[in-house]
């Protein structure tokens, strides 16, 4: 009898995990974990019979993956899965939050380490290059980005998160340690339920992290320059926006929402607002997945010196002007 495997096909340096699709009920004979944002967004894709992986693939036995929660909320089909620490795989020991029917991974956490080897780590490089002030997280998920920022940086840095689905926050508190994070940093983390595109703070954001996906795709609003103009107006002077813009590893429910094309349209919309002050960090192989950054390119050496973990410094040299 063939062994059931979970296979990670797109994991190339720098570590990149796309937001693909995973169907856990009923389970396919193989599950394919293909890296999206750098890991990129994290994606999991459902495999058809003709796409099933072989024994030669870098896979995880299906027995090493456990479903902790599975239910439908008003906005999402929510699943939480746990990957065994004993398996030989980059995701060993991780807990993943999957949303929507495609099963996009919206949060990742490891029991024995803080960094995720994913685009969340790229997000965690933002604080040293923005002015003092609050950081907005649009698309909070279960709090992966917030956890990194709060644990790596000093107390004066605060995060304000927006999440549309209250059930996602509930899952974060129950399965991803969000309740403890809120207790440990009660004066530094503030979570709002609602449309993230309406996010604001009275004094303006020093930085905004955008990670907004729906049905396996960057939301359509982010291909509208007016939305970026609005977000830009909510920044303090010298503030910046960092965005998970997806890429070819993103596979949407709607076949017309090609990941590559959506990424291009999102970057084009941003360039109309930010001009030549727009940079892109590509993850995986070419534009498998990408993160965008606004503002002048910082002094790279100074940026590296201010990062709290050496593992984050490699990302600094990967930024390129958007062309």
């Amino acid at each position: 009898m063939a062994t059931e495997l979970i296979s990670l096909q797109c994991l190339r340096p720098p570590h990149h995990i796309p937001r693909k699709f995973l169907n856990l009920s009923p389970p396919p004979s193989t599950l394919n974990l293909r890296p999206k944002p750098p890991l990129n967004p994290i994606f999991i894709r459902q495999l058809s019979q003709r796409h099933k992986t072989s024994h030669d693939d870098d896979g995880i036995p299906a027995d090493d993956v456990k479903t902790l929660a599975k239910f439908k909320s008003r906005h999402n089909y929510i699943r939480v899965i746990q990957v065994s620490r004993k398996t030989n795989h980059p995701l060993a020991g991780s807990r993943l939050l999957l949303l929507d029917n495609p099963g996009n991974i919206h949060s990742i956490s490891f029991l024995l380490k803080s960094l995720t080897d994913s685009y969340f780590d790229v997000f965690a490089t933002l604080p040293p290059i923005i002015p003092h002030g609050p950081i907005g997280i649009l698309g909070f998920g279960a709090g992966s980005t917030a956890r990194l920022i709060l644990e790596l940086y000093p107390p004066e840095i605060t995060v304000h998160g927006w999440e549309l689905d209250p059930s996602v926050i509930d899952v974060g508190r129950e399965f991803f340690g969000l309740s403890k994070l809120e207790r440990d940093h009660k004066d530094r983390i503030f979570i709002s339920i609602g449309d993230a595109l309406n996010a604001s703070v009275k004094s303006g954001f020093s930085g905004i992290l955008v990670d907004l996906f729906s049905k396996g795709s960057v939301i359509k609003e982010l291909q509208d320059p007016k939305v970026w103009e609005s977000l830009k107006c909510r920044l303090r002077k010298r503030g910046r926006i960092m965005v998970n813009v997806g890429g070819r590893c993103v596979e949407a429910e709607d076949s017309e929402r090609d990941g590559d094309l959506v990424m291009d349209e999102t970057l084009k919309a941003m360039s109309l607002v930010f001009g030549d002050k727009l940079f892109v960090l590509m993850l995986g192989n070419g534009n498998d997945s990408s993160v965008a950054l606004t503002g002048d390119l910082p002094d790279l050496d100074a940026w590296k010196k201010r990062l709290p973990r050496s593992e984050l410094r490699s990302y600094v040299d990967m930024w390129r002007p958007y062309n």
Side-chain angles (χ1 to χ4, degrees), residues 140-153:
F140 189 83
S144 296
T145 299
R147 177 174 293 103
L148 283 173
I149 291 174
L150 294 175
E151 292 181 353
L152 293 176
Y153 292 99

Side-chain angles (χ1 to χ4, degrees), residues 31-220:
L31 299 179
N32 182 23
L33 290 176
R34 293 176 53 185
K36 170 190 163 187
L39 307 177
N40 189 328
I42 305 171
F43 307 98
I44 303 180
R45 184 173 83 169
Q46 177 182 347
L47 292 178
S48 64
Q49 282 294 121
R50 61 190 180 89
H51 287 129
K52 289 179 182 178
T53 58
S54 70
H55 293 291
D56 295 330
D57 288 328
D58 179 18
I60 308 174
D63 288 344
D64 287 344
V65 177
K66 180 180 180 181
T67 300
L68 303 181
K70 181 172 66 173
F71 66 96
K72 289 185 178 181
S73 70
R74 177 181 176 186
H75 299 284
N76 291 295
Y77 176 32
I78 297 174
R79 283 158 286 177
V80 179
I81 65 172
Q82 179 77 43
V83 181
S84 171
R85 286 182 290 165
K86 297 180 180 179
T87 195
N88 182 23
H89 193 278
L91 290 175
S94 69
R95 185 167 289 185
L96 308 175
L97 170 65
L98 284 59
L99 299 183
D100 299 321
N101 288 324
N104 297 318
I105 301 178
H106 283 249
S107 290
I108 180 172
S109 67
F110 290 88
L111 180 62
L112 301 178
K113 64 178 183 177
S114 298
L115 297 181
T116 64
D117 291 329
S118 77
Y119 74 101
F120 295 117
D121 297 353
V122 179
F123 277 178
T125 67
L126 181 66
I129 58 170
I130 57 177
H132 291 297
I135 296 174
I137 301 176
L138 312 190
F140 189 83
S144 296
T145 299
R147 177 174 293 103
L148 283 173
I149 291 174
L150 294 175
E151 292 181 353
L152 293 176
Y153 292 99
E156 58 266 24
I157 293 180
T158 63
V159 298
H160 296 249
W162 273 262
E163 175 59 48
L164 183 64
D165 191 345
S167 294
V168 170
I169 300 301
D170 292 340
V171 164
R173 288 171 175 152
E174 182 172 356
F175 295 101
F176 290 86
L178 181 55
S179 290
K180 183 178 186 302
L181 194 71
E182 291 175 300
R183 290 195 303 270
D184 292 346
H185 304 279
K186 60 182 179 181
D187 297 323
R188 301 180 62 198
I189 180 171
F190 307 92
I191 300 173
S192 299
I193 303 298
D195 187 346
L197 294 180
N198 294 327
S200 66
V201 291
K202 186 175 181 180
S203 57
F205 294 107
S206 60
I208 299 175
L209 294 163
V210 180
D211 192 13
L212 295 172
F213 284 74
S214 178
K215 299 181 179 179
S217 178
V218 176
I219 63 172
K220 294 180 180 180

Side-chain angles (χ1 to χ4, degrees), residues 122-130 153 240 242 279 281 293 296-309 312-313 315-319:
V122 179
F123 277 178
T125 67
L126 181 66
I129 58 170
I130 57 177
Y153 292 99
R240 298 175 182 271
M242 191 178 282
F279 296 84
L281 185 155
L293 174 69
D296 293 315
L297 189 66
D299 181 298
L300 301 186
D301 289 334
W303 189 358
K304 290 179 184 178
K305 290 178 181 178
R306 296 185 62 191
L307 288 171
R309 295 282 294 272
L312 299 177
R313 294 170 191 161
Y315 298 120
V316 170
D317 293 318
M318 295 172 62
W319 294 101

